[in-house]
Amino acid sequence: MSAPVILRDPVHGLISFAPTTPGPGDPYRLLVRLMDTREVQRLRRIRALGLASLAFPGGEHSRFAHAVGSAYVMSRYLERVRSLADELPAHDRIDSDWEAIALAAALVHDLGHGPFSHTFEHVLPDARMHEDWTSQMLLDPDTEVHRVLHEFDPQAPAAVERLIHGACPIRHLARAVSGTFDVDRCDYLMRDSHMTGVRYGLLDLDWLLASLRLYLPAGASAATLAVDGAKGLTAVEGFFLARFYMYRQVYLHKAVRAAEVMLRGLFRRLHELHDAGESVPGTPDALAAMFRGAQLSTEDYISLDDALLETAMWHYARGDDPVLRGLSQGLRERKLFKSVRVRDEVSDEEVRARIDPLVAELGLDPRYFAGIDRTKTRAYVEDEALVVLSGPRVQSLLEASPVIHGLASEVYTSHRAMFPTQLRHAAADALEDLR
Amino acid sequence: MSAPVILRDPVHGLISFAPTTPGPGDPYRLLVRLMDTREVQRLRRIRALGLASLAFPGGEHSRFAHAVGSAYVMSRYLERVRSLADELPAHDRIDSDWEAIALAAALVHDLGHGPFSHTFEHVLPDARMHEDWTSQMLLDPDTEVHRVLHEFDPQAPAAVERLIHGACPIRHLARAVSGTFDVDRCDYLMRDSHMTGVRYGLLDLDWLLASLRLYLPAGASAATLAVDGAKGLTAVEGFFLARFYMYRQVYLHKAVRAAEVMLRGLFRRLHELHDAGESVPGTPDALAAMFRGAQLSTEDYISLDDALLETAMWHYARGDDPVLRGLSQGLRERKLFKSVRVRDEVSDEEVRARIDPLVAELGLDPRYFAGIDRTKTRAYVEDEALVVLSGPRVQSLLEASPVIHGLASEVYTSHRAMFPTQLRHAAADALEDLR
Amino acid sequence: MSAPVILRDPVHGLISFAPTTPGPGDPYRLLVRLMDTREVQRLRRIRALGLASLAFPGGEHSRFAHAVGSAYVMSRYLERVRSLADELPAHDRIDSDWEAIALAAALVHDLGHGPFSHTFEHVLPDARMHEDWTSQMLLDPDTEVHRVLHEFDPQAPAAVERLIHGACPIRHLARAVSGTFDVDRCDYLMRDSHMTGVRYGLLDLDWLLASLRLYLPAGASAATLAVDGAKGLTAVEGFFLARFYMYRQVYLHKAVRAAEVMLRGLFRRLHELHDAGESVPGTPDALAAMFRGAQLSTEDYISLDDALLETAMWHYARGDDPVLRGLSQGLRERKLFKSVRVRDEVSDEEVRARIDPLVAELGLDPRYFAGIDRTKTRAYVEDEALVVLSGPRVQSLLEASPVIHGLASEVYTSHRAMFPTQLRHAAADALEDLR
Amino acid sequence: MSAPVILRDPVHGLISFAPTTPGPGDPYRLLVRLMDTREVQRLRRIRALGLASLAFPGGEHSRFAHAVGSAYVMSRYLERVRSLADELPAHDRIDSDWEAIALAAALVHDLGHGPFSHTFEHVLPDARMHEDWTSQMLLDPDTEVHRVLHEFDPQAPAAVERLIHGACPIRHLARAVSGTFDVDRCDYLMRDSHMTGVRYGLLDLDWLLASLRLYLPAGASAATLAVDGAKGLTAVEGFFLARFYMYRQVYLHKAVRAAEVMLRGLFRRLHELHDAGESVPGTPDALAAMFRGAQLSTEDYISLDDALLETAMWHYARGDDPVLRGLSQGLRERKLFKSVRVRDEVSDEEVRARIDPLVAELGLDPRYFAGIDRTKTRAYVEDEALVVLSGPRVQSLLEASPVIHGLASEVYTSHRAMFPTQLRHAAADALEDLR
């Protein structure tokens, strides 16, 4: 029996992935082999929080740490489901093969992320989402991830890919990989909160798992995720509150959004220049091809990581194009746009009409050096696949919890005009009546 | 009065740098301005632990987070010294100007680090140490750091530079910036331990500061660092134990050393190729110049960061040179050398005689694909500038503490033969009698 | 200058009460002297959570630890107000004398608690509340607390007493001692949560203080507590959520309520026996006098603590009266009543009609061995004295926060029928249709 | 299958004792039943740290919390041994019956403690140690603990009793219950450190267990406790360092020792008065009988707890005997003796000759109002039953660890003259040359 892999983790403490059976079919042996593939190792070079570390210096962890953490949370979920096996119909139990698929899915679910994580999905108007790239990497026979899975079981690459997208005969497992309340979110909420220091400690994994149940509605054939009474309610509220606070304080932080607006401007400029047939020194081939509209190979996509993009920005920061130069310097030296919140109903045109002339006066191009950021997300969207068991009663989360009820009426919005820091006062004055 | 800068930090919690006086002479205003310079921001792109994150996935924090943390620890030190002012001779007290210099020194003390931190100092046989580069950045009138310091006070760049190197009329302050027991170490031991998850929590900053004293020996003109009795002893033992454990478990971890041996091999190869006048595609200009023996300008040096080196390795990993290709792939995909510990007295030649033929058999060049790692560090070196006050008695740390006494007799050694992972069994057999 | 008192605390870490001025007028010198009085020391013998440690074995901390913690939180509040002094009208600033009064008030605010904390207030139908006893102890010239305060300033006893009851010319200070959001609650929520292990860590004191403001409404003469924008909102929501969770999980835990119902039954029995002129062996004189309707002297009241009551229960547990014996044994050996939740609208009579016969069948007196527990508390009651500042806007908490909005609609109720554990099944059956 | 008992604990987090088999033979079902016995519940009324909470206000936890914690650590040990079963000879494995005995032993190992824990063992010159009383409670057929164990298996009471005293056919299990390195110590070091706030966090249970091995020396028939290499060494050093720091900072704290000297004086006085045939009002019958030399019944001994003794002291504090009055008031109001450290070689007579006259001058009896405290404990005593495995080598802890080597040369001594606080200056002067 090979030695267990024991990792120390700032969030979960001791993580132990220990095979318990001798053969190659052991779920944890597969997991450990997958960790060593080059596609998974690439995640070390992609920061999980993208540009957010500009505002939260602690938030510098990579997607690799998060991938390992997600697999750990999955291992705890599997252990919990095992302890509930007596209450479950046969087809809702998870055998060793499904354990392997589930652990693999948790580890590789984010494989397709590009540089700076989510921002990269907006690199082009029609850029593919990271989920597509994850699928492609799993299914491409030339990737190491594919080969390792295929050796385990020729069906495994497809099974993992389907599970990540929510397709799985064991319904509750599909939800645990990809639902409102899944192992991915459990890990990233805990990790992002711990690392940024925005610690509300709301997400208590031990307690959450201890109060997790699987509930078989009368007449139904498949069990559904449930939490147990008052203690479970608290745990699950903690999960959604943690999400709420992370959005409010980190993910939608104005400086983080400002950096994203700058990066998108930079991508837009690159796109236009390439579209116009220009070549931009310092741009990696894969990126240049992408901006010219070519379809990237898996191999090319894999080459894209934070380091490559940082290096490209270093070139731009000393290059000839004033837009690329200005935005790259700003991002590298944390000279971020400032912003002013404007009322929801104010139109982009109205804002632009006030801001653009100010930017132009500075000799900057307002198409790139001014921006409007508008986001709108609900704090809680009812999820019928998660119920609360209170003695004999079965309730929806919304019925059972006034806290969730409060969240359900909350929409995070960010509607901000953004501009170079020199305009801080002028822009505030110009936008006074729109705030 | 400008708003305080409030940061959340995973290690220290809330960090607040708040100016308390209106003018530009306020120490915290200077600190905040320095944080925004491009040389300090560059530290975001250099991992504090270099290659150690390959073995400790949590240890991905940058030198920037550490620089801010060091300034925070300095602010706590200054506060403590203020509360002891009554016991101090006038010239040992710290006025507002010296506070500014001290905070600045704590923030910028590591400015000169190159990519992957310490390893980069071994890039060339005669490479300059990071301390030299720090000095150069401070004194070069073209850096932003210099300009900000110079605006504060034309003497400030030189004063900060000297303080970092231990020269300061206030002796205890020089020690706090650069001694066995300084703010830099306090922060990095706490931070590295927290982030790697190797948490022994031994370093309790609050307790350490509360038990810190300044002691004026009879007849002496300058106060010396001291700790107070039993409680102080525990705090200072905790500091040295933390250092001991971090060396034993992290800094000298065999996988970390293996990665460093690989990176040094890669640097050696680059040096030889450049020496031979070859040009190596993918090598950034500044690096190439360096390998050709040119003296780098400050500007060029500043361009070197982890991203640049990672990108170069990406090129090498797909390039023609088999040495650069093999080592770069290994580092990027965490296919690290394995190692076998050998006895201290065994000579390098003896080890090489066993290992090199095995490596050659694999078709690899033993000069790059085998290595011997040898380090030797004392766990505690007596520091006379730190004493223990036990009621009326003044003792050295070594006298006062059996724990320190134990550490003083400990030498960390790492003497290991390193080789590609395929040779794991063959090498172990070949070295059997040297272990 | 006398040495500071430095305490280690499981909740706040290092607590340092350090006089900064030489004379007896120093606020921290007064605080330290008050800590050494016998009335404050008595709080060591009264558990803060009363009977809750029966359900939460960690919750065994005393009112003394809480009193010290409250004084610490007050010291942090005073420090924060000092840093805001520039923004405050003169009469809202806190000078050294008021600091002393404020610290004293925080320390002694709970002096009047009887054995097992709140439960003791229900010992008699018309028992005095602990606040009254606190006042009496402060104003009685024979107590040590009074003497120490009087020596500090002859007006101090009355000033402290008034402040505890919310009367103080500095309005925001009155609120900080006794409001919806005061230092007492800050400490007990943090402490009770930490100790019981019901850790939601929601109350982040550092963050709360950093986002605290004092706001002077246009035309108003006195400042009002406020929190600053988004970061403050999160902090203050955390406070109310912590309170919500502690009620739901600890204070109203069914086993805790069961123990309280048992203790009240025991008090009722003692009252009736004493009313009837009987003497009950093992009852301390002060208690017996109280049950006979005598007015207790301060001295007598001070003698009452958990130890005295525990000892009395030890006597009862071996005594002749079957009611006192049964209830005392149950409480001492954690053989607590079980309970069944019944619908809110069900009348006590209806429940009694089902339960009492079952209890009587066991040979037990239903007046004491069955009970109905009914409580109703709002999770959040609007407090106009606390506002949220969002840029130029001033909002009430209810307007600003959907989470608070959710809480405001929540009423904790506990409506439970309680009975000896042997009846667990029979009672559940009998109450089936009332659940 | 009955529901698991889930407890929240401030030290270990979530503690779950979950039966996994249906019958009464399940180890965890036995454990839960034992927790509900009256002898175990009595431990709620005995503070684990005795008088130490006078110096460390957080240290108010009871022996009950510690007993539950010890059972939890045992459950983790059993789990670890199970995972090592493959490496163990058959008779070193632990079957379900031995699991039950082991868990029971961990829970009840301290049953025999009297009021204020260890101090009570010194109540009489020839008082029985708590271990004897534990045995008596286990073997007395009238205790609930006995009955529950006997129902489980008629051999169980004796088996548990023997295991607590180190007699068990599975040698490593005997060591885990009662060795230098046992579950009792693991829990109390963690708990006492956490609660007093003297947190060095050195004892990392997860890491300790993960590095625990069982080693079968060549030719031996029984396995011995071992730790694995460098990681294990760190974990086990942490254990002994934690012990070292707790002694130095808490258990031998001068104020704690002073309180113990006072309590012993009080016991001595009670003994003398009872010896002389006097009756002392307020003394509980069991205590009075004890002081008269009677052998206590189990029942009588069980009645003794902190509450009973506190109440007796309350009587003494208002009683006629000046010695009992003075000492009781001092203990209740934390007016503790002060002390001066004297050199080891100074004789008690010499100290007495200086101190006693000063005490007599105050009108106090020096036999009770002065004391000499002398203790001597080694920081580490070599334990051959614990070895370190470093690759192929087996070393003793002393050989393997310089830190342990340092500790082994350390003897904690406390040699202090103690006296009422009023004599603080006079006594210091009188003892000047003996310090």
Side-chain angles (χ1 to χ4, degrees), chain C residues 40-97:
Chain C
V40 173
Q41 289 294 320
R42 165 184 173 266
L43 296 176
R44 290 181 183 274
R45 293 186 296 275
I46 297 181
R47 287 193 178 169
L49 280 172
L51 297 161
S53 67
L54 290 167
F56 297 90
E60 299 175 317
H61 53 293
S62 74
R63 292 224 156 254
F64 177 74
H66 164 54
V68 171
S70 300
Y72 169 75
V73 178
M74 178 55 84
S75 74
R76 298 286 307 273
Y77 178 76
L78 295 173
E79 186 188 2
R80 176 66 182 155
V81 173
R82 223 164 19 238
S83 80
L84 298 171
D86 287 353
E87 311 176 7
L88 289 175
H91 73 274
D92 271 336
R93 294 181 204 156
I94 303 182
D95 66 12
S96 169
D97 283 347

Side-chain angles (χ1 to χ4, degrees), chain A residues 8 10 36 38 41 44-45 47 53 60-62 194 197 199 303 307 311 314 332-335, chain B residues 8 10 36 38 41 44-45 47 53-54 60-62 194 197 199 303 307 311 314 332-334:
Chain A
R8 287 181 161 270
D36 283 342
R38 128 187 133 98
Q41 290 294 320
R44 290 182 182 274
R45 293 186 297 275
R47 288 193 178 170
S53 67
E60 299 175 317
H61 53 293
S62 73
H194 183 91
R199 283 189 222 169
S303 72
T311 302
W314 171 72
R332 282 170 68 79
E333 300 169 12
R334 208 189 50 173
K335 267 115 195 168
Chain B
R8 288 181 161 269
D36 282 342
R38 143 183 121 96
Q41 289 294 321
R44 290 182 183 273
R45 293 185 296 275
R47 288 195 176 167
S53 67
L54 290 168
E60 299 174 316
H61 53 293
S62 73
H194 184 91
R199 285 191 222 169
S303 73
T311 302
W314 171 71
R332 282 170 69 79
E333 300 169 12
R334 207 189 50 173

Side-chain angles (χ1 to χ4, degrees), chain A residues 7-13 32 35-38 41-47 53-65 68 144 191 194-200 249 284-286 299-300 302-311 314-315 318 331-335, chain B residues 7-13 32 35-38 41-47 53-65 68 144 191 194-200 249 284-286 299-300 302-311 314-315 318 331-335:
Chain A
L7 292 169
R8 287 181 161 270
D9 182 71
V11 176
H12 299 301
V32 167
M35 280 174 60
D36 283 342
T37 57
R38 128 187 133 98
Q41 290 294 320
R42 164 183 174 268
L43 296 177
R44 290 182 182 274
R45 293 186 297 275
I46 297 180
R47 288 193 178 170
S53 67
L54 289 168
F56 296 91
E60 299 175 317
H61 53 293
S62 73
R63 293 227 155 250
F64 178 74
V68 172
E144 291 190 15
R191 191 168 303 276
H194 183 91
M195 289 306 197
T196 53
V198 178
R199 283 189 222 169
Y200 285 87
Q249 303 214 89
D285 296 346
E299 179 65 24
D300 278 344
I302 286 174
S303 72
L304 298 174
D305 56 27
D306 289 6
L308 216 76
L309 211 63
E310 288 275 12
T311 302
W314 171 72
H315 284 287
R318 352 165 48 180
L331 285 166
R332 282 170 68 79
E333 300 169 12
R334 208 189 50 173
K335 267 115 195 168
Chain B
L7 292 170
R8 288 181 161 269
D9 182 73
V11 175
H12 299 301
V32 167
M35 281 174 61
D36 282 342
T37 59
R38 143 183 121 96
Q41 289 294 321
R42 164 183 174 266
L43 297 176
R44 290 182 183 273
R45 293 185 296 275
I46 297 180
R47 288 195 176 167
S53 67
L54 290 168
F56 297 91
E60 299 174 316
H61 53 293
S62 73
R63 293 226 155 251
F64 178 74
V68 171
E144 290 189 15
R191 190 169 303 276
H194 184 91
M195 289 306 196
T196 55
V198 178
R199 285 191 222 169
Y200 286 87
Q249 303 214 87
D285 297 345
E299 179 64 24
D300 278 343
I302 286 173
S303 73
L304 298 173
D305 57 27
D306 288 9
L308 214 76
L309 210 63
E310 289 275 12
T311 302
W314 171 71
H315 285 288
R318 345 161 48 165
L331 286 166
R332 282 170 69 79
E333 300 169 12
R334 207 189 50 173
K335 267 118 194 164

Side-chain angles (χ1 to χ4, degrees), chain B residues 39-178:
Chain B
E39 293 83 17
V40 173
Q41 289 294 321
R42 164 183 174 266
L43 297 176
R44 290 182 183 273
R45 293 185 296 275
I46 297 180
R47 288 195 176 167
L49 280 172
L51 297 161
S53 67
L54 290 168
F56 297 91
E60 299 174 316
H61 53 293
S62 73
R63 293 226 155 251
F64 178 74
H66 164 54
V68 171
S70 300
Y72 169 76
V73 178
M74 178 55 84
S75 74
R76 299 286 308 271
Y77 179 76
L78 296 173
E79 184 189 6
R80 177 65 183 157
V81 174
R82 224 162 21 238
S83 81
L84 298 171
D86 287 353
E87 310 177 8
L88 288 175
H91 73 275
D92 271 335
R93 294 180 204 157
I94 301 181
D95 65 11
S96 169
D97 284 348
W98 274 112
E99 287 203 0
I101 300 300
L103 290 166
L107 183 76
V108 304
H109 75 281
D110 267 355
L111 223 48
H113 268 290
F116 296 160
S117 294
H118 288 281
T119 317
F120 198 72
E121 296 179 335
H122 306 287
V123 69
L124 289 176
D126 55 350
R128 295 169 65 193
M129 302 307 273
H130 74 272
E131 290 87 351
D132 287 357
W133 284 112
T134 302
S135 295
Q136 182 163 331
M137 288 191 203
L138 287 167
L139 301 178
D140 182 331
D142 288 337
T143 62
E144 290 189 15
V145 172
H146 181 91
R147 277 200 297 267
V148 167
L149 285 170
H150 191 271
E151 268 174 44
F152 176 81
D153 174 349
Q155 311 297 328
V160 169
E161 193 270 340
R162 281 196 303 269
L163 179 51
I164 287 173
H165 291 85
C168 171
I170 307 176
R171 251 180 40 202
H172 69 85
L173 187 59
R175 307 278 317 168
V177 172
S178 175

Side-chain angles (χ1 to χ4, degrees), chain D residues 70-361:
Chain D
S70 300
Y72 169 75
V73 178
M74 177 55 84
S75 74
R76 299 285 308 271
Y77 179 76
L78 296 173
E79 185 188 4
R80 176 67 182 156
V81 173
R82 224 163 20 238
S83 80
L84 298 170
D86 286 354
E87 310 177 8
L88 289 175
H91 73 273
D92 271 335
R93 295 180 204 157
I94 302 181
D95 66 11
S96 169
D97 284 347
W98 274 112
E99 286 203 1
I101 300 300
L103 290 165
L107 184 75
V108 304
H109 74 281
D110 266 355
L111 224 49
H113 269 290
F116 296 159
S117 294
H118 288 280
T119 318
F120 198 72
E121 295 179 336
H122 306 286
V123 70
L124 288 176
D126 56 350
R128 295 170 65 193
M129 300 309 274
H130 75 271
E131 289 88 350
D132 287 359
W133 284 112
T134 302
S135 295
Q136 182 162 330
M137 288 192 202
L138 286 167
L139 302 177
D140 182 331
D142 289 337
T143 62
E144 289 189 15
V145 171
H146 181 92
R147 277 200 297 267
V148 167
L149 285 169
H150 191 270
E151 267 173 45
F152 176 81
D153 175 350
Q155 312 296 329
V160 170
E161 193 271 340
R162 281 196 304 269
L163 179 51
I164 288 174
H165 291 84
C168 171
I170 307 175
R171 252 182 37 203
H172 69 85
L173 187 58
R175 308 276 319 166
V177 172
S178 175
T180 40
F181 185 61
D182 59 31
V183 299
D184 171 34
R185 278 192 179 169
C186 280
D187 184 75
Y188 80 67
L189 291 175
M190 290 175 82
R191 191 168 302 276
D192 295 351
S193 138
H194 183 91
M195 289 306 196
T196 54
V198 178
R199 282 190 224 169
Y200 285 89
L202 291 146
L203 213 162
D204 180 337
L205 188 61
D206 290 340
W207 197 238
L208 197 56
L209 288 166
S211 54
L212 200 71
R213 294 279 299 277
L214 289 166
Y215 165 72
L216 193 65
S221 63
T224 236
L225 281 185
V227 290
D228 207 10
K231 78 178 174 184
L233 197 51
T234 301
V236 85
E237 284 169 0
F239 177 90
F240 287 105
L241 282 167
R243 190 169 164 261
F244 174 66
Y245 287 127
M246 288 309 289
Y247 269 90
R248 190 158 78 183
Q249 302 215 86
V250 177
Y251 307 143
L252 296 185
H253 188 281
K254 60 188 177 182
V256 177
R257 299 301 299 175
E260 291 193 7
V261 162
M262 293 171 76
L263 187 59
R264 289 187 201 196
L266 188 143
F267 285 155
R268 210 174 333 111
R269 178 68 176 174
L270 282 170
H271 191 199
E272 289 164 6
L273 290 170
H274 285 92
D275 240 17
E278 295 191 39
S279 95
V280 185
T283 306
D285 296 346
L287 210 58
M290 200 167 159
F291 283 122
R292 284 201 199 89
Q295 184 62 0
L296 291 195
S297 67
T298 317
E299 178 66 24
D300 278 344
Y301 185 78
I302 286 172
S303 72
L304 297 173
D305 57 26
D306 288 7
L308 216 77
L309 210 64
E310 288 275 11
T311 302
M313 285 200 281
W314 171 70
H315 285 287
Y316 303 152
R318 345 162 50 172
D320 293 331
D321 186 85
V323 172
L324 297 180
R325 194 172 58 236
L327 294 172
S328 293
Q329 281 175 355
L331 285 166
R332 282 169 68 79
E333 299 168 12
R334 207 189 51 172
K335 268 119 195 165
L336 303 181
F337 287 174
K338 294 295 170 194
S339 64
V340 160
R341 174 159 241 168
V342 290
R343 290 197 305 277
D344 275 13
E345 68 277 15
V346 177
S347 74
D348 289 8
E349 292 69 37
E350 211 166 346
V351 175
R352 284 260 171 222
R354 315 274 181 103
I355 295 296
D356 287 7
L358 298 172
V359 173
E361 258 174 65

